[in-house]
Amino acid sequence: MARVLLLLPTTTYRTPDFLAAAGKLGVNVTVASEEPSTLEGLNPEGLLTLDFQDPEGSARRAVEFARGHPIDAVVGVDEDTTVAATVIAEALGLPHNPVGAAYGARHKPTMRRLLSEAAVPSPAFRVFDRGEDPGRAAKAVSYPCVLKPTFLAASRGVLRADNREEFVAAWRRIERILDDPEVVARGSLRMPPGARRSSEPSREILVEDFIAGDEVALEGLLTQADLEVLALFDKPDPLEGPVFEETIYVTPSRLPPETREAIAQVASRGALALGLRDGPVHAELRVNESGPWVIEIAARSIGGLCSRALRFGTGMSLEELILRHALRVGMPSPQRERRAAGVMMIPIPRSGILQEVRGLEKARAVAGIEDVTISIHAGQRLVPLPEGSRYLGFIFSRAGTPERAEAALREAHASLEFVVD
């Protein structure tokens, strides 16, 4: 049987869905994590410890492993594993993106530079060293602007500033986030060959123009640099700042066909500008009177549990689609089901210790609701964005129209009560 190497950080939401997809396909799986498992000695074929922040070291370890257990595909499931997955696949001679492209999608200033050089519509930007005087930096930018770390995902550390005072406050807040030991570890990615950067990501603060407009998320799959759009999500809740906490995604998009086509074309141009050629793509774009603007392009699939809103063909999951593509096995037409679908990433209401979530039965009974999943357990600490990196849970809906799918999410969320100490 074919074997797939899945790079699954211990903190990822994606493990159950990727393992279920692999089981459905009947392929062997080796799970690589950054922390050793106590069961690794009992299951040497199925478990592997890799340092995702050291892609070349991970590749050497994977090549050694593959001598005894041949690997047919490598899949990184989130932002922290895409570069390591690319370097490993290159070392094994498997289909992969260029290493520089994977790093460009991971490192926001590199992404911005490549998009700008290719004339892909994207925000104007500047990169500052956090050691600079924020008061002086505040005089060098235009407003409104958005400040963000250069290597974090899911809107963590992303803040809008409308004036110099807000700029300095946002800068200081990002500095505190960058001092978090867990964040420092994530920013210590060792540079693989083919990638370049001017400074350490943990020292960088990216400032870019705020782009007004409706925001959408595009899920796609690249084959020899050709982008196939799998789904286009509307984000009906406005994302205007000062923080950018995402909540509702609904597909299919309600934008006009010509706008959807323009979004697909700009996203394809963006992926080409980064040099991406193979595998999943998740892009965030804004649309206004000037057309679509690329905000982010990631060389991975959609995060969290949001992929559960998507079904293809006769019930195929996004994870199965990704594995089939990586393994180059029989690929059915990746046509999304006709019914509208939605997912709500449940926002964290405030800091504190979660005591209880009430109203779950009522929320699950709402017409159109498929499931409500709480991903933070009672007794755990809640940390809202921009400092936090997790959602409280996810609500999933399916209905005849996007409007009904969205309404079901809102009704179910209104049924929930969060008791926080």
Side-chain angles (χ1 to χ4, degrees):
M1 290 193 298
R3 178 177 298 276
V4 60
L5 176 64
L6 286 177
L7 275 55
L8 292 165
T10 54
T11 56
T12 187
Y13 291 99
R14 310 296 300 279
T15 301
D17 294 337
F18 268 105
L19 291 181
K24 183 178 176 182
L25 290 174
V27 298
N28 288 319
V29 176
T30 297
V31 171
S33 295
E34 78 283 11
E35 295 183 6
S37 169
T38 56
L39 300 177
E40 190 168 327
L42 300 176
N43 186 14
E45 296 183 11
L47 297 170
L48 188 64
T49 303
L50 297 178
D51 180 0
F52 302 139
Q53 301 304 309
D54 180 9
E56 288 191 280
S58 294
R60 289 192 295 270
R61 178 73 181 92
V63 168
E64 178 185 349
F65 175 87
R67 292 192 183 103
H69 313 289
I71 295 171
D72 300 281
V74 182
V75 176
V77 304
D78 64 7
E79 201 80 5
D80 290 337
T81 58
T82 53
V83 176
T86 299
V87 177
I88 293 169
E90 182 179 61
L92 293 172
L94 300 172
H96 63 284
N97 284 309
V99 174
Y103 184 79
R106 175 79 170 81
H107 182 239
K108 292 177 174 61
T110 303
M111 178 193 305
R112 285 277 167 263
R113 176 179 57 80
L114 292 171
L115 293 174
S116 177
E117 290 174 353
V120 176
S122 58
F125 72 101
R126 290 191 60 171
V127 184
F128 295 92
D129 186 282
R130 57 176 294 188
E132 297 182 48
D133 176 14
R136 181 175 298 177
K139 298 176 183 179
V141 301
S142 57
Y143 296 94
C145 64
V146 177
L147 295 81
K148 58 179 71 172
T150 63
F151 59 93
L152 297 180
S155 301
R156 191 176 187 185
V158 180
L159 290 159
R160 170 174 168 165
D162 291 339
N163 53 55
R164 294 178 184 177
E165 290 75 20
E166 291 181 2
F167 182 98
V168 173
W171 180 294
R172 296 302 188 199
R173 199 168 179 182
I174 291 172
E175 282 187 316
R176 291 192 291 271
I177 294 171
L178 292 175
D179 286 335
D180 183 313
E182 178 264 332
V183 173
V184 171
R186 293 184 63 186
S188 61
L189 179 67
R190 298 176 193 173
M191 290 288 291
R196 59 191 176 106
R197 67 171 180 236
S198 57
S199 64
E200 290 298 321
S202 60
R203 293 204 57 80
E204 298 170 329
I205 295 179
L206 176 66
V207 180
E208 53 192 41
D209 288 352
F210 173 77
I211 303 297
D214 297 327
E215 188 159 321
V216 297
L218 180 145
E219 204 67 19
L221 196 62
L222 285 166
T223 304
Q224 296 181 344
D226 181 46
L227 178 65
E228 180 167 15
V229 177
L230 302 177
L232 184 65
F233 290 93
D234 288 336
K235 300 183 185 182
D237 287 341
L239 293 166
E240 301 294 326
V243 298
F244 295 87
E245 184 169 46
E246 296 186 303
T247 51
I248 292 178
Y249 279 33
V250 177
T251 190
S253 171
R254 288 161 277 187
L255 292 171
E258 60 273 17
T259 304
R260 299 198 300 268
E261 177 61 28
I263 290 169
Q265 290 179 1
V266 171
S268 180
R269 287 174 56 198
L272 185 63
L274 297 185
L276 297 173
R277 299 183 51 83
D278 190 85
V281 168
H282 178 75
E284 309 278 345
L285 302 97
R286 291 230 168 178
V287 184
N288 55 31
E289 62 277 2
S290 299
W293 298 71
V294 174
I295 303 301
E296 304 276 355
I297 297 182
R300 57 166 174 82
S301 56
I302 194 168
L305 296 178
C306 297
S307 66
R308 294 182 183 178
L310 298 176
R311 293 176 187 162
F312 303 91
T314 56
M316 186 167 53
S317 69
L318 178 62
E319 289 77 14
E320 182 182 344
L321 195 67
I322 291 169
L323 291 181
R324 285 181 175 274
H325 179 271
L327 290 162
R328 301 303 197 256
V329 297
M331 177 70 80
S333 174
Q335 185 69 36
R336 200 191 68 80
E337 66 174 357
R338 292 186 177 182
R339 297 183 73 198
V343 56
M344 182 176 192
M345 292 155 274
I346 302 174
I348 290 177
R350 59 187 177 276
S351 298
I353 304 299
L354 179 64
Q355 300 296 314
E356 183 183 1
V357 179
R358 299 171 182 166
L360 281 169
E361 290 186 8
K362 182 179 179 181
R364 290 172 177 145
V366 171
I369 293 298
E370 285 198 332
D371 193 18
V372 180
T373 299
I374 303 300
S375 53
I376 295 181
H377 304 297
Q380 291 184 305
R381 180 170 295 280
L382 303 181
V383 182
L385 282 173
E387 286 78 13
S389 60
R390 298 183 64 190
Y391 290 98
L392 215 157
F394 301 84
I395 307 173
F396 302 93
S397 68
R398 218 167 292 272
T401 66
E403 291 79 8
R404 290 177 181 173
E406 178 186 341
L409 293 173
R410 296 192 187 281
E411 183 179 349
H413 182 246
S415 302
L416 298 175
E417 179 185 356
F418 304 100
V419 181
V420 180
D421 183 1

